[in-house]
Amino acid sequence: MIAAASASGSPADHSRFLQRWLGADAARAALLDEVCELSLSSLDLGAFLTRELEAGLPLPRAMRRLRNLLVCAIIRRDLQGRAGLDEVVTAMTRFADFAIQTHAGALTAEMVAAHGMPTGEESGRPQQLIVLSMGKGGGGELNVSSDIDLIFVYPEDGDTAAGPGQRQLSNHEFFVRLGRRLNAALSEVIEDGFTFRVDMALRPNGNSGPLAASLAMVEEYLIVQGREWERYAWVKARAVTGDPEDVAALDAIVRPFVFRRYLDFGVIDAIRNMHAQIRAEVKRQERLHPERSHNVKLGRGGIREIEFLAQVFQLIRGGRDPALRERSTRATLRLLAERELLPQDTVARLLDAYTFLRNLEHRLQYLDDAQTHTLPASEDDRLTVARMMGLPDVPALLARLEEQRAFVAAQFDAIFADKAEAAAPEVATLADDPENREGIAARLAELGYDDPAGAAARLVATLQGPRLSSLPEASRSRLLALGDAALGQIATVVREAGVGSHAATLGRLLDFFEAIARRSAYLSLLTEYPHTLERVIRMINASGWAATFLTQHPILLDELLDDRNEGAGDMNQLAAELDGQLLAAAGDTERQLDILREAHHAQLFRLLALDLAGELSVERLADHLSLLADTIVGATVRHAWRAVASRHREEPRFAVIAYGKLGGKELGYVSDLDVIFLFDDEDEMAPSNYAKLAQRFITWNTAHTAAGILFDIDIALRPDGASGMLVSSVAAFERYQDSSAWIWEHQALTRARFCAGDAAIGARFEQIRDTVLRKDRSAQDQQLKDEVRAMRKRMRDANVNPTELFDLKQDEGGMIDIEFIVQYLVLRHAANYPQLTANAGNIALLKLSGELGLIDAALAAAVADAYRVMRRLQHQVRLQGQEKARVDPQVLGQHPAQVRRLWDACFGS
């Protein structure tokens, strides 16, 4: 028996198939030795096929002989440790492609000779068969003794261009016949065996559908009848034959079916159900045939579970991340580690398990070249397989198998186990009676809600409202279950946070539920990842603005899934990622706009999470938000320029100059961007092209898309304001600032800086700014004071506060008074103290002015403290979603009075 072969014999001796093949022809041993010296993953298959054909064999027999030679070479090289898993699966996939292409080419030529070239009815173009390789073949990971899953597609209907003596066929009939002949050429068993078993069950309508389908038929089928499991199957679809233009057209049909533009967490439940059906069938087979236990492909913790683990992330995220549309299971797993969607060590162990299980599967098939995935019933054969695996005995094999499968099963369960927790039988749920206001109020009272009756009324009204009452049953059930979970979590969060209101937090959550109710993927996300719901509740309890922002942009739920996106992002990395994504979407402006918005919102949301956790001061937050805006502005300029068809150079000599909050690096979550545009370019096309770029920049920022807007843009500070040109040359800007600008424009210049674009223009702007601000204004001191006071009065008159509250921004003694004081000090004294022109922020400039003796140092410190307190209060008020930053005057104590003292010291009372 082979199983009893001595340990000193060649491992390949354990393959009965190999021994039979060698025994049938003495000349084969030398041929096998020759092939085994080569890397099989790059073998010249055409040369070896030509040898057989030149020996006088017809193509089907020659192909089968090449197949048997290749399989035997794989067995020997693999079992001798000279070929790894990658060489094995690559060699088999390359051979399958080669066999399909060679037979399809020969058979097409025969068919065309008999019936003429199939021609498109609408295009008039010659038609070629597209053979799609599915499953492991599509993924480049074909088994040694596997069948191949194929789908046949042709571009369009029409007829063959039959000539004299040829019989015309419809394109459909032509390609159905061609498909039948191709299947026979590959799978019929003749004296040399077969090349590949062919499975066509994955085609539209399965075995009851036509053997070949047109692109239009495929599109209609996928749109109307395509099921979730078919999305999983089509992930691996790869065209082996066909015209590239037709293949691209097919890809455009399949891609939106497989990969949704949103994050599709509903696929978890679909794969869970599909897996349950597979497991049920495997268990049934094992009951009927106990000897078929230990199925390494479909059994618990087997190869299929690893494939599901990889593909669930592809189906969830592949619509938004094209890199995840990879067909190979191994390559996909590595990408999941790179994207931090799975931990590095988990991926390493999954790859190890995959390699072990695939190697074991191959050794099961090496015995007799049989398409099997289960350990053999014979103890002798099991020992043979163990030794092929480099293990001493069967118990060692079973132990290693169990270890690998246990790890895979645990990882599978972590994602696919049903997360819905069954309520205790005695606890009422919303699903029991969602209209029972009194019962719900009693439950909320038990949980400690501050206004149980009001909260219950709001909850019932929302559930009875048109948006939720008309939901599909599955979505409504999920929503009610989420509501049940949320009621207790809200009570816990409010108690632990020590702030917030149960009723207000529940109201915000219900607004959020209404916004996402018709997007089942988001309901699935919250169901599959229960901790995400708790994170949502903590965030919206802390901030009404956060609740509104999340409700407007529910895709940001992905940011709460885990900790991989914790912390402020690296802006250099973000810029590089944005460039890559925007380049990939070149020509699709709508997608480019959404890429910018999604990236900005995600970064904003991460900063918001840090902010609400108390990990960022207002100043540090503003620095991060300003740097984020700079990054987004830079990406917008670079890629909006590429959309200017008449551009006269590759890189624009164009810069965005930031004023106001962005210029002073005091940006908030919803601040406008005050900007102007400068260029330095003598080309005659420059003014018109840069005007187009500026207009596109504004449009790219302000256009409302499905992902919202980026920023509101204010360009009122450009030279000559609303009547001025949209863009200015650097020279024109310099002349304007030197001789035509108003005092208030020089005030604005104190907070201006280069933001993005051409760095040389940015440096020139900074020189102009310094020169203007350092002008000697000592002789015009009174005029300067009068103009600053007059501008401040105009602003106050335009923003009257009718309430008893203190307006942190506009009222006397508020933030704008402080900003005007600093601007006056810079304009009045920078001629003597050039360090005042540093764009260092109001607090630092107040301190510097005190140190220089320009104002009382103690008063300067007090006003700096006031500014810091007011900024923090303004931020807190805005986080609660209030538009006007107004607070009880008692909260501020003496701070406004100190500001008024400094104002009077600078300008007089």
Side-chain angles (χ1 to χ4, degrees):
M1 280 190 160
I2 291 173
S6 69
S8 61
S10 168
D13 292 344
H14 294 169
S15 168
R16 291 189 286 262
F17 171 74
L18 174 57
Q19 296 310 313
R20 285 197 300 269
W21 182 79
L22 285 170
D25 185 343
R28 288 176 176 173
L31 181 59
L32 183 61
D33 289 342
E34 176 191 347
V35 175
C36 283
E37 292 305 311
L38 305 171
S39 171
L40 303 180
S41 56
S42 56
L43 195 67
D44 186 346
L45 297 169
F48 279 93
L49 181 67
T50 300
R51 282 194 196 182
E52 300 292 346
L53 293 172
E54 288 177 348
L57 289 175
L59 178 59
R61 288 195 62 192
M63 192 67 76
R64 282 155 176 74
R65 289 201 171 199
L66 176 55
R67 183 262 180 196
N68 293 335
L69 171 63
L70 179 65
V71 168
C72 288
I74 286 173
I75 292 172
R76 177 177 285 182
R77 280 180 60 86
D78 187 3
L79 294 181
Q80 289 179 346
R82 298 161 69 189
L85 176 63
D86 189 68
E87 179 176 319
V88 172
V89 297
T90 301
M92 285 309 301
T93 305
R94 282 186 72 242
F95 176 66
D97 291 356
F98 174 75
I100 291 166
Q101 291 160 356
T102 304
H103 281 301
L107 293 169
T108 298
E110 290 178 17
M111 292 276 294
V112 169
H115 304 286
M117 176 63 74
T119 305
E121 193 170 44
E122 294 183 11
S123 69
R125 290 173 55 229
Q127 306 284 289
Q128 294 181 30
L129 179 67
I130 302 171
V131 178
L132 292 176
S133 181
M134 310 290 282
K136 287 187 173 66
E141 295 170 329
L142 202 60
N143 275 331
V144 173
S145 300
S146 176
D147 57 7
I148 50 175
D149 296 289
L150 302 180
I151 294 177
F152 300 147
V153 180
Y154 59 94
E156 59 181 301
D157 286 318
D159 297 295
T160 60
Q166 294 178 321
R167 182 186 166 209
Q168 187 177 57
L169 296 175
S170 69
N171 288 355
H172 179 72
E173 179 63 21
F174 181 95
F175 288 114
V176 167
R177 290 189 184 188
L178 177 58
R180 283 201 201 103
R181 293 184 63 183
L182 177 57
N183 282 349
L186 291 167
S187 62
E188 277 186 357
V189 179
I190 57 178
E191 59 261 54
D192 296 290
F194 60 90
T195 303
F196 284 102
R197 307 172 192 87
V198 178
D199 190 334
M200 301 289 298
L202 292 177
R203 68 186 187 269
N205 289 306
N207 290 328
S208 63
L211 195 65
S214 67
L215 287 178
M217 291 168 66
V218 171
E219 182 171 29
E220 182 181 4
Y221 175 81
L222 294 181
I223 291 172
V224 177
Q225 298 183 56
R227 290 155 290 183
E228 284 294 329
W229 71 261
E230 287 176 294
R231 290 179 58 203
Y232 170 87
W234 280 83
V235 167
K236 291 187 179 291
R238 178 175 60 85
V240 178
T241 69
D243 181 279
E245 188 177 328
D246 297 329
V247 171
L250 176 60
D251 184 56
I253 291 167
V254 173
R255 192 187 315 116
F257 168 69
V258 176
F259 301 110
R260 305 294 156 88
R261 292 190 71 166
Y262 52 86
L263 293 170
D264 186 10
F265 289 90
V267 77
I268 295 176
D269 194 45
I271 291 183
R272 180 190 294 129
N273 292 335
M274 182 162 59
H275 177 259
Q277 293 171 12
I278 293 170
R279 288 289 301 128
E281 176 59 21
V282 170
K283 286 180 179 177
R284 189 180 74 83
Q285 291 292 336
E286 288 176 349
R287 277 198 310 273
L288 293 174
H289 308 281
E291 72 280 3
R292 293 185 190 171
S293 60
H294 296 300
N295 188 316
V296 299
K297 178 181 178 181
L298 301 178
R300 191 75 173 103
I303 295 164
R304 182 54 51 84
E305 290 192 359
I306 300 176
E307 292 171 342
F308 279 159
L309 275 167
Q311 286 188 272
V312 71
F313 288 101
Q314 292 183 285
L315 292 174
I316 290 171
R317 298 174 182 278
R320 310 189 72 79
D321 186 351
L324 284 172
R325 297 170 193 169
E326 172 64 55
R327 296 181 180 93
S328 158
T329 297
R330 292 166 299 154
T332 300
L333 286 170
R334 294 185 191 104
L335 271 171
L336 298 182
E338 284 178 25
R339 295 291 197 275
E340 297 182 4
L341 295 168
L342 283 177
Q344 292 274 3
D345 60 332
T346 299
V347 168
R349 288 199 61 186
L350 284 171
L351 285 167
D352 184 53
Y354 185 79
T355 301
F356 175 86
L357 293 168
R358 288 298 305 272
N359 283 336
L360 177 55
E361 182 181 42
H362 287 153
R363 280 145 183 77
L364 298 175
Q365 296 171 352
Y366 290 166
L367 284 174
D368 292 300
D369 188 26
Q371 188 186 5
T372 181
H373 312 284
T374 59
L375 290 189
S378 158
E379 197 64 25
D380 287 345
D381 282 353
R382 288 191 176 198
L383 179 58
T384 299
V385 171
R387 289 180 175 170
M388 285 181 177
M389 291 293 290
L391 296 168
D393 50 38
V394 175
L397 172 65
L398 294 177
R400 280 293 308 281
L401 177 59
E402 180 54 35
E403 175 191 352
Q404 300 287 8
R405 288 170 57 167
F407 178 76
V408 172
Q411 298 309 309
F412 183 89
D413 287 345
I415 291 176
F416 291 101
D418 196 339
K419 312 299 192 306
E421 295 182 10
E426 67 277 5
V427 175
T429 66
L430 291 176
D432 294 335
D433 190 357
E435 299 178 9
N436 182 357
R437 189 177 304 181
E438 293 75 17
I440 293 171
R443 181 178 168 194
L444 298 182
E446 283 181 24
L447 290 170
Y449 273 55
D450 43 26
D451 179 14
R458 171 66 204 276
L459 177 57
V460 171
T462 301
L463 293 176
Q464 290 178 337
R467 186 168 294 208
L468 301 192
S469 60
S470 59
L471 285 177
E473 188 57 39
S475 293
R476 185 168 171 81
S477 297
R478 274 201 186 117
L479 191 69
L480 291 172
L482 290 170
D484 274 316
L487 295 179
Q489 288 181 7
I490 290 171
T492 302
V493 166
V494 172
R495 183 177 66 253
E496 290 178 355
V499 296
S501 151
H502 300 91
T505 302
L506 177 61
R508 293 167 184 171
L509 184 65
L510 291 172
D511 288 340
F512 174 65
F513 279 168
E514 283 194 291
I516 67 169
R518 298 208 167 273
R519 300 293 293 272
S520 61
Y522 294 132
L523 298 178
S524 296
L525 184 157
L526 293 169
T527 301
E528 301 293 347
Y529 298 91
H531 65 279
T532 305
L533 177 61
E534 182 187 351
R535 289 184 173 189
V536 168
I537 291 169
R538 289 191 183 281
M539 186 167 272
I540 66 178
N541 177 66
S543 166
W545 183 83
T548 301
F549 189 62
L550 186 58
T551 299
Q552 290 171 342
H553 308 292
I555 193 172
L556 295 171
L557 280 174
D558 184 42
E559 299 294 318
L560 297 177
L561 273 181
D562 49 46
D563 298 331
R564 74 195 137 91
N565 292 327
E566 271 195 341
D570 181 313
M571 289 301 107
N572 289 329
Q573 182 182 342
L574 175 64
E577 290 174 356
L578 275 175
D579 278 339
Q581 292 177 35
L582 291 167
L583 278 173
D588 185 350
T589 303
E590 183 181 355
R591 181 65 197 132
Q592 288 181 310
L593 265 56
D594 281 347
I595 286 168
L596 288 164
R597 282 150 178 73
E598 288 158 8
H600 180 245
H601 294 156
Q603 294 292 332
L604 203 70
F605 199 62
R606 294 180 198 180
L607 292 171
L608 176 62
L610 291 172
D611 182 14
L612 295 178
E615 295 181 30
L616 287 177
S617 67
V618 176
E619 291 79 14
R620 288 286 295 137
L621 173 65
D623 286 344
H624 283 303
L625 289 171
S626 300
L627 183 56
L628 172 59
D630 289 354
T631 305
I632 296 292
V633 167
T636 304
V637 169
R638 287 191 298 277
H639 294 275
W641 177 245
R642 291 190 174 98
V644 176
S646 59
R647 66 186 184 279
H648 57 284
R649 62 174 70 251
E650 278 308 301
E651 296 299 326
R653 292 180 183 170
F654 175 95
V656 179
I657 306 300
Y659 280 72
K661 292 291 186 188
L662 179 58
K665 296 185 180 179
E666 293 184 351
L667 209 62
Y669 289 120
V670 290
S671 299
D672 297 352
L673 301 190
D674 293 292
V675 297
I676 67 167
F677 308 111
L678 300 181
F679 70 92
D680 188 13
D681 191 334
E682 296 301 320
D683 192 286
E684 63 179 16
M685 295 289 292
S688 62
N689 276 340
Y690 293 134
K692 289 176 185 175
L693 173 56
Q695 191 57 62
R696 270 193 170 80
F697 174 87
I698 294 168
T699 302
W700 279 37
N701 275 279
T702 59
H704 283 266
T705 74
I709 72 163
L710 263 179
F711 298 102
D712 281 321
I713 302 295
D714 190 333
I715 54 171
L717 291 172
R718 69 190 187 275
D720 290 317
S723 62
M725 301 289 287
L726 186 58
V727 295
S728 300
S729 69
V730 173
F733 177 77
E734 184 173 21
R735 286 193 302 273
Y736 179 85
Q737 290 293 337
D738 183 57
S739 58
S740 305
W742 297 84
I743 289 292
W744 66 263
E745 291 178 287
H746 287 170
Q747 283 181 251
L749 201 60
T750 64
R751 289 161 64 89
R753 65 180 176 85
F754 168 65
C755 172
D758 188 307
I761 298 176
R764 185 77 186 98
F765 164 78
E766 298 295 346
Q767 292 171 358
I768 295 168
R769 175 181 176 274
D770 285 349
T771 301
V772 171
L773 296 182
R774 292 172 186 173
K775 278 185 176 181
D776 185 354
R777 295 179 174 85
S778 56
Q780 296 87 35
D781 181 45
Q782 193 56 49
Q783 180 191 353
L784 178 61
K785 288 179 180 179
D786 290 345
E787 292 213 22
V788 172
R789 266 199 309 247
M791 174 55 72
R792 182 70 191 97
K793 183 177 185 304
R794 283 199 295 274
M795 289 182 69
R796 195 174 289 126
D797 290 345
N799 293 276
V800 176
N801 176 11
T803 73
E804 296 296 317
L805 299 174
F806 183 84
D807 191 309
L808 293 166
K809 188 175 176 183
Q810 298 289 350
D811 279 355
E812 283 189 34
M815 294 168 67
I816 290 182
D817 279 1
I818 298 171
E819 291 166 3
F820 270 50
I821 290 168
V822 171
Q823 290 163 13
Y824 163 75
L825 291 170
V826 172
L827 293 175
R828 173 66 183 81
H829 298 290
N832 295 324
Y833 303 102
Q835 61 266 48
L836 285 169
T837 60
N839 193 335
N842 292 305
I843 291 172
L845 289 173
L846 281 168
K847 182 182 177 186
L848 177 60
S849 297
E851 291 171 351
L852 293 172
L854 306 177
I855 52 177
D856 180 83
L859 186 55
V863 172
D865 286 343
Y867 192 71
R868 191 178 287 111
V869 168
M870 289 181 194
R871 278 191 71 191
R872 188 172 68 247
L873 286 170
Q874 181 190 48
H875 183 63
Q876 290 170 357
V877 170
R878 292 270 165 79
L879 275 180
Q880 292 311 316
Q882 297 176 32
E883 191 175 336
K884 298 286 186 183
R886 292 171 179 166
V887 298
D888 188 326
Q890 292 183 352
V891 174
L892 289 163
Q894 290 300 304
H895 288 310
Q898 300 281 34
V899 176
R900 287 194 292 270
R901 275 184 61 204
L902 183 56
W903 178 273
D904 291 344
C906 290
F907 299 104
S909 58

